[in-house]
Amino acid sequence: MLSQRIQQHFIDSADLKYQCAQMLAAPVEAAVNAVLACVTGGGKVLACGHGGSAAAAQYFAAGFVGRFERERPELAALALSADASVLTGLGQGFDPRAVFARQVRALGSAGDVLLVLASAGSSDALVDAVAAAHERDMTVVAFTGARAGALGGALKDTDVLVSVPHERLARVQEVQLLALHCLLDGVDAQLLGDSPEPENLA
């Protein structure tokens, strides 16, 4: 019984990824182009999200500052969920929905990218972060689930929305992780050229 349930998770995840391959290729490519324009212009990526999405933001920043599958010069990225002192200080002294927006205003500059990761688009803190990014003339790349909600509505035509067409949190995050891998790989491919075999780096 449990074995069948586990197998079904794998099947459902694979099916959704297969369905998304063609649908999400164009928006993920647009995300690569936005991030590439940012870093080649001397900018940085600020990444944010709640819960598991915060972990994904940190994972992205680690792959950007460090490396994904190939050695390359470091690229500038910062996860806004990583500094506990900043988060708890903002949470205590300000409206909780300002937790990311104040960091974007403090750290963001024109030409930077705000990478927003969310399973749904209902977070006031993420919507406010998008507004703060627009105040700084930043481009926003937003990863959401099927319901982009207020977050999707806050985006401009020059922003990028990568919306996974599913409601279940686990499935959405699985596809978003794959899309983040495509984003990291796409930037590397544009900077370093195609590589037939990725390096085995831990």
Side-chain angles (χ1 to χ4, degrees):
M1 176 70 176
L2 182 56
S3 176
Q4 290 179 342
R5 185 180 182 90
I6 292 169
Q7 290 179 47
Q8 193 61 51
H9 277 292
F10 278 87
I11 292 167
D12 291 346
S13 183
D15 284 347
L16 179 59
K17 288 172 182 173
Y18 184 80
Q19 294 169 24
C20 289
Q22 186 171 1
M23 179 187 308
L24 297 186
V28 172
E29 181 178 2
V32 170
N33 291 334
V35 170
L36 187 66
C38 164
V39 297
T40 55
K44 60 187 172 296
V45 179
L46 304 179
C48 64
H50 296 293
S53 296
Q58 291 177 238
Y59 176 76
F60 168 82
F64 219 57
V65 175
R67 61 192 173 203
F68 177 50
E69 291 183 326
R70 290 188 277 171
E71 283 287 3
R72 56 148 165 76
E74 57 277 358
L75 299 172
L78 181 66
L80 302 182
S81 56
D83 192 325
S85 296
V86 170
L87 292 177
T88 55
L90 290 174
Q92 182 180 29
F94 300 91
D95 185 335
R97 65 183 287 167
V99 65
F100 297 129
R102 290 189 69 88
Q103 293 186 74
V104 170
R105 291 191 188 97
L107 302 171
S109 301
D112 288 348
V113 165
L114 175 67
L115 174 62
V116 179
L117 298 159
S119 56
S122 58
S123 165
D124 289 337
L126 296 180
V127 172
D128 283 3
V130 169
H134 290 155
E135 290 174 18
R136 291 289 185 263
D137 293 323
M138 298 168 61
T139 299
V140 178
V141 174
F143 283 36
T144 72
R147 299 182 184 181
L151 179 58
L155 300 178
K156 295 182 176 180
D157 292 341
T158 52
D159 296 328
V160 180
L161 175 63
V162 180
S163 179
V164 179
H166 207 278
E167 300 285 345
R168 189 168 182 174
L169 174 63
R171 298 292 87 85
V172 170
Q173 290 184 337
E174 287 158 7
V175 174
Q176 287 181 344
L177 179 58
L178 178 57
L180 284 178
H181 286 163
C182 292
L183 177 56
L184 290 165
D185 175 71
V187 170
D188 282 359
Q190 293 297 315
L191 292 176
L192 305 175
D194 291 334
S195 175
E197 292 292 335
E199 299 172 15
N200 292 317
L201 301 173

